[in-house]
Amino acid sequence: MTLPPVGESARLFAEGFGLGQDQALMTAYLGPGPVPPLASPVDLPDLSGRPDALIMVAEYDPLRDSGLAYAERLRQAGIPTTTVVGTGHLHGTPGLTAAWAGARRWQDEQAAALSEAYHQ
């Protein structure tokens, strides 16, 4: 089970921080067998009708360029899309909120964007 790498970030940031075991992670998230189509929505042929989107990607993340490509495809499909690139952040930033103030700030930014989206 593999997903094709997207962009330069997939090559630059694929190793370290436990990210070199992508096959084991994919199986843990998706189960065994073929990759379901929604596992990589950037590859779907038609993105029309999707809800408004908030795409947050980390600067140092192998999935960054995939997220940016997905955001661009959503915009091309007419979906209101907000994209935030977490400068200085890495793939595991959400798991670092107990130890790093930068992670907490990024979490706060995400919470504020979601709150605004849901008018709360």
Side-chain angles (χ1 to χ4, degrees):
M1 168 187 316
T2 61
L3 286 173
V6 175
E8 187 71 2
S9 67
R11 183 187 65 77
L12 289 174
F13 310 118
E15 295 296 323
F17 305 100
L19 297 175
Q21 300 154 5
D22 58 337
Q23 292 309 309
L25 290 171
M26 295 246 327
T27 300
Y29 279 109
L30 304 174
V35 176
L38 288 177
S40 181
V42 71
D43 296 326
L44 293 174
D46 182 13
L47 295 177
S48 61
R50 302 272 172 207
D52 295 6
L54 167 64
I55 308 291
M56 295 185 76
V57 297
E59 179 180 13
Y60 302 113
D61 187 342
L63 302 176
R64 180 195 67 208
D65 293 343
S66 179
L68 294 175
Y70 180 52
E72 182 55 30
R73 292 241 6 253
L74 287 169
R75 280 191 283 281
Q76 289 173 356
I79 308 302
T81 303
T82 300
T83 304
V84 178
V85 177
T87 304
H89 292 282
L90 49 102
H91 182 84
T93 290
L96 300 174
T97 55
W100 182 31
R104 290 188 294 278
R105 284 190 298 274
W106 203 30
Q107 182 182 52
D108 290 345
E109 184 177 350
Q110 178 183 15
L114 289 171
S115 178
E116 180 178 328
Y118 289 107
H119 310 290
Q120 299 296 317

